[in-house]
Amino acid sequence: MQQEDDLRGLAKVMEFMRAISIVFIVIHVYWFCYQSFVDMGINIGVVDKILLNFQRTAGLFGNLLTTKVFAVIFLALSCLGTKGVKNQEMTWNRIYAAFLSGLVLFFMNWWMLDLPFSPMADAAIYTVTLTIGYILLLMSGVWISRMLKHNLMEDVFNTANESFMQETRLMENEYSVNLPTKFVYQGKEWDGWINIVNPFRASIVLGTPGSGKSYAVVNNYIKQQIEKSFAMYIYDYKFV
C-alpha cells in the first residue's frame, strides 16, 4: 500500500513539472508575441505586471532561448518518472528522428517572428511550430524513459528478448492443417505457420481453461478439415 502511495505521489510530481514546463511555453508565447495579443484585444494587466517584475529581477525574457531552455528542463524531469510498456514499434531510430525534429522546430524557429506578414500571422506560425516541436520532444522523452527502464530479462514471455527463427513457410497438402502464428525474432515481428502435414497420426491439445485452445487450434482443425471433406472424432477431456 505504501509503494502504491509513493507511485501516485511521484506521478503527481511528474505532472506538476510538466505543467510548469507548459506554463513556461505559454508565457514565452505571450511575451514574445505580445503585439499580436494586443491586436486581438487580449491584454491582461496583472499578468503583464508579473512578467515585467520577472524581467526586472531575473532577466527571464532577456533572451529568446531562456524560457525555452527552462521549459525543456522541466519537460525532461517530468519524463524521468514515466512508466509504461515498451512497444515493439518503438525503435531508437524513431526516437532520434522525433527528438531531432523537435529540437529543430522548438529552438530554430526564431526567424518566424520576423516574417513579412502581420504580427498575428507571424505569431500563429511561430506558435504552431513551437507547439509541434514541444510535442515531439515530449514524445521522444517518454519513449527514451520507457526504453531505458525496460529490462529485457523481466520479459517472461520473451517478447522483446531475441528468440529463435520459426517456420515461416506455408506447407500445405490435401490433408494438412495449417495454424497461423506470430513470433518475435531479432526485434521484428514475423508471421509464421505451424504445419501439421499428417493429421492422421492424431493430435492432442493441452492447456489450462481459457488459454485459447479452442480458438487457436480446435476451431482451425474443424474448419480446415470440413473444407477438405474429412470427418473427425474429437475428445474433450476435462478434469482428468
Side-chain angles (χ1 to χ4, degrees):
M1 187 66 181
Q2 181 64 36
Q3 185 178 7
E4 294 180 359
D5 292 338
D6 293 341
L7 291 175
R8 281 195 290 267
L10 178 62
K12 290 181 180 179
V13 172
M14 296 300 104
E15 292 174 0
F16 178 70
M17 288 187 177
R18 195 166 298 173
I20 294 177
S21 174
I22 294 173
V23 168
F24 272 110
I25 296 298
V26 172
I27 63 176
H28 172 89
V29 173
Y30 182 77
W31 180 275
F32 290 101
C33 302
Y34 185 77
Q35 184 58 48
S36 63
F37 285 98
V38 172
D39 294 342
M40 289 186 292
I42 301 174
N43 188 5
I44 308 174
V46 176
V47 174
D48 292 349
K49 292 180 180 179
I50 294 174
L51 296 183
L52 286 171
N53 287 332
F54 271 116
Q55 174 61 15
R56 280 195 299 267
T57 56
L60 187 61
F61 305 104
N63 190 299
L64 194 70
L65 294 178
T66 305
T67 45
K68 288 186 177 182
V69 170
F70 277 110
V72 170
I73 290 174
F74 280 99
L75 176 62
L77 292 174
S78 72
C79 291
L80 292 177
T82 301
K83 294 185 65 177
V85 179
K86 179 178 176 291
N87 192 321
Q88 289 299 321
E89 297 180 356
M90 190 189 304
T91 62
W92 282 108
N93 288 335
R94 187 175 180 183
I95 292 173
Y96 294 149
F99 181 71
L100 293 176
S101 300
L103 284 179
V104 171
L105 290 174
F106 191 77
F107 285 106
M108 306 297 289
N109 62 342
W110 73 89
W111 53 273
M112 295 182 180
L113 291 173
D114 298 323
L115 291 173
F117 305 120
S118 65
M120 292 180 61
D122 292 349
I125 297 172
Y126 180 77
T127 304
V128 169
T129 56
L130 190 73
T131 303
I132 295 175
Y134 183 84
I135 293 173
L136 289 173
L137 290 175
L138 172 61
M139 291 169 53
S140 60
V142 171
W143 290 343
I144 290 172
S145 179
R146 291 181 179 180
M147 290 285 279
L148 294 178
K149 290 186 177 184
H150 184 74
N151 188 350
L152 296 179
M153 298 308 295
E154 295 176 354
D155 186 12
V156 295
F157 295 107
N158 202 31
T159 300
N161 200 9
E162 183 173 325
S163 63
F164 59 92
M165 174 57 73
Q166 302 176 30
E167 183 60 69
T168 58
R169 296 171 298 170
L170 174 61
M171 295 185 290
E172 192 174 17
N173 59 38
E174 57 182 323
Y175 311 116
S176 67
V177 176
N178 307 94
L179 307 175
T181 64
K182 288 184 180 295
F183 62 96
V184 175
Y185 178 65
Q186 293 183 343
K188 178 182 177 183
E189 187 176 75
W190 300 71
D191 294 321
W193 291 93
I194 298 175
N195 301 295
I196 300 96
V197 296
N198 186 11
F200 294 110
R201 301 182 62 183
S203 304
I204 184 170
V205 184
L206 296 176
T208 58
S211 60
K213 302 182 299 296
S214 298
Y215 176 80
V217 180
V218 177
N219 289 349
N220 274 296
Y221 258 83
I222 295 173
K223 178 177 180 294
Q224 294 182 37
Q225 292 294 283
I226 290 176
E227 289 175 348
K228 295 179 179 181
S229 300
F230 285 102
M232 292 170 291
Y233 200 97
I234 300 175
Y235 297 87
D236 189 7
Y237 292 104
K238 294 184 183 297
F239 309 107
V240 176

